[in-house]
Amino acid sequence: MRLSKSFWQTFKEAPKEAQIPSHVLMIRAGLIHKASGGLYNYLPMGQRVIQKISDIVREEHDKEDCQQITMTVVTPGELWQETGRWGVMGELMLKMKDRAGRDLCMSPTNEEAVVDIFRSSVKSYKQLPQTLYQINTKFRDEIRPRYGVMRAREFLMKDAYSFHLDKACLDEGYDKMYRVYENIFKRIGLAFIAVEADGGAIAGGGAKTHEFQVLARTGEDKVIRCKQCGYAANLEKAVSAKRENRENKCKASDKNVSLEMVETPSCTTIEDVCRFLKVEESASLKSLVYYSISGDIETPVLVILVGDDQLNEIKLQNYLKANHLKAASDGEIERLGLVKGYIGPQSLTDIKILIDSAVALDNAYVSGANKSGYHSKGMIPNRDCKNFDVVDLRLAGVGDVCTRCGGEVEEIRGIETGHIFQLGDKYTKDMKVQVLDKSGKGVHPLMGCYGIGVSRIVAAAIEQNFDDNGIVWPKSIAPYHVYFCFIGKSQEIKELAHSLYQSIKDSGVEVVLDDRGAGPGFMFNDADLLGLPLRVILGERDYNNDGLIEIKERKSGKVHKATKDQLISKIKEILTGIN
């Protein structure tokens, strides 16, 4: 590609709303154009990256006999109504009606649509397993789209769906797709980690699922990882034990510790209460009131945590099997007969109580006394509380202990770019899909679901690979491999540059020629901003002096020299040796 003929423009500044490196650099390097909030057009350089990622994704799926289809972006509302998800997806789903008044939506995901395709053709176990996939546009009406294509409303996604006769077959298919994803991210050239995750609204909280996180300091997801055994999970899913050095200063030596009500004027927070009573926050209990919402039914629940822990709302929602959760308002707390700031679990019988598993049930704690201006000391859950369930509800934290090996856990940052699920018969049962098994009995096939954010990988790759000067592309997805520029005004050097460019191109190396007539500083800045793996510089003075051409690696900064006749072989040699 000759840049003088290309549709490519770089910019010194990015829009003010661009907050993260990938958003800034994708705008400045001319990869995308903003159409509206959360909507972006891909320009030629960006489209080449998208195409390369899509090709890798397609090749790895095809190796495992997955079959590509294309589903409509607009899907009938009646399919979503079959599974009950028409109302569950909430405002993320953009809904509309056609001229006949039929419900339609812009697809945020395609489980229902692919099951509808499947049930029209597959009737017997002999046709299983099957895996269908597409690379297509999705739309989710994010309330606050941000970070450029990282969290856009419209995005390009690969979504695959597998169908199986039984759990053993599903497990085999899931493991196969896990390997497919590993191969994809390795080929793209990104540092990544697969972590245990939450199934969310698509799979349900209890489903087997993993996220593929691209590691980046700027990642919006927090991952808990054991330093010793390598256990890793998204913060929403992670399970860890209390830190060993975290001591309950009110530990009871026996069950005879008395329950004592003490005045705590104007102390309505854990911090205020513990400061007033001169105890550690780990010796107190935190009481939170939530409503579990399923359809039109709202059920209150009291959650009890150790004072210095935080609630993991995803774990709570999954345990309650709720469509939604909401924290109780001041008025709702009052109507339940509770006193905000002074709530405790002791002696309560009219509300469901969940005590986090990190609470030592035979230890004595400070908790609310259910009376304004008072807290209780010496409250022992096993003695003083009625009818409670013990559930893992806390957020894992840095320095916690791994429940698998006892090692210390750490927190790292990542960007979710892939997610795989075991769906079971959630969708085939709701949509009344059956196949005949070997005995002729009708059974609901089991499903797996496997998503990759193709456009999100573009941003994630930049978040992992950039410097002060611009993008540093992995070789496999760089728009081109070589940025070729020349310095000099003589006709001879221009002709040589065009000749070498054509030879490099004919050799199969992807190359752009900067023939725009700009100065060296301008060209070098654009080359670094775009971030192609190699920059080749034909300098008239240097070439006339020693007959050598400079080749510079973008990532390492290493400089090589080659003669005109050696240039192509040297470029290929360097490209072979870098990622």
Side-chain angles (χ1 to χ4, degrees), residues 254-261 364 377-380 383-384:
D254 56 54
K255 296 292 183 68
N256 295 322
V257 174
S258 61
L259 182 63
E260 177 187 1
M261 186 181 294
K377 293 178 66 176
M379 199 286 290
I380 301 175
R383 182 192 65 190
D384 302 319

Side-chain angles (χ1 to χ4, degrees), residues 474-487:
K475 177 181 63 178
S476 62
I477 61 171
Y480 293 87
H481 293 143
V482 175
Y483 193 107
F484 184 25
C485 57
F486 60 92
I487 303 170

Side-chain angles (χ1 to χ4, degrees), residues 486-490 493 496 520 537-550 561:
F486 60 92
I487 303 170
K489 298 182 178 180
S490 70
I493 207 71
L496 177 59
I537 307 168
L538 172 62
E540 185 172 21
R541 183 179 60 186
D542 291 343
Y543 185 76
N544 288 338
N545 287 340
D546 53 24
L548 296 177
I549 301 168
E550 179 180 297
K561 298 284 187 176

Side-chain angles (χ1 to χ4, degrees), residues 370-388:
N370 297 313
K371 180 179 180 180
S372 182
Y374 288 85
H375 279 75
S376 294
K377 293 178 66 176
M379 199 286 290
I380 301 175
N382 261 343
R383 182 192 65 190
D384 302 319
C385 300
K386 311 294 183 185
N387 300 324
F388 58 86

Side-chain angles (χ1 to χ4, degrees), residues 333-346:
I333 290 174
E334 184 177 352
R335 285 193 292 275
L336 289 170
L338 303 174
V339 183
K340 182 182 178 182
Y342 300 95
I343 302 171
Q346 60 272 23

Side-chain angles (χ1 to χ4, degrees), residues 513-532:
L513 173 65
D514 195 339
D515 60 343
R516 297 174 295 176
F522 186 91
M523 290 189 294
F524 295 167
N525 287 339
D526 269 6
D528 284 344
L529 178 59
L530 183 58
L532 305 187

Side-chain angles (χ1 to χ4, degrees), residues 123-165:
K123 306 299 180 184
S124 167
Y125 75 93
K126 295 179 181 179
Q127 297 168 273
L128 297 178
Q130 294 283 349
T131 301
L132 305 175
Y133 79 95
Q134 67 169 349
I135 300 174
N136 206 349
T137 299
K138 295 286 187 296
F139 187 91
R140 296 177 186 171
D141 200 7
E142 297 277 357
I143 187 171
R144 286 185 297 274
R146 60 194 188 280
Y147 306 148
V149 303
M150 187 74 77
R151 191 166 291 281
R153 291 191 291 167
E154 182 180 289
F155 52 94
L156 188 65
M157 180 178 176
K158 187 284 306 181
D159 46 321
Y161 307 90
S162 62
F163 297 85
H164 310 266
L165 181 64

Side-chain angles (χ1 to χ4, degrees), residues 410-481:
E410 62 180 345
E411 183 180 284
I412 58 177
R413 292 274 179 171
I415 300 166
E416 180 195 343
T417 49
H419 205 158
I420 61 177
F421 307 83
Q422 283 195 358
L423 301 176
D425 61 4
K426 174 181 174 68
Y427 294 93
T428 55
K429 181 180 289 185
D430 285 345
M431 297 181 73
K432 299 178 175 56
V433 179
Q434 290 190 339
V435 297
L436 298 179
D437 66 11
K438 293 179 181 180
S439 64
K441 178 184 177 182
V443 297
H444 300 294
L446 305 180
M447 287 181 65
C449 171
Y450 318 91
I452 282 183
V454 174
S455 51
R456 204 162 204 243
I457 287 177
V458 182
I462 295 172
E463 293 294 330
Q464 190 178 96
N465 300 277
F466 72 93
D467 60 21
D468 290 341
N469 297 316
I471 303 168
V472 184
W473 286 112
K475 177 181 63 178
S476 62
I477 61 171
Y480 293 87
H481 293 143

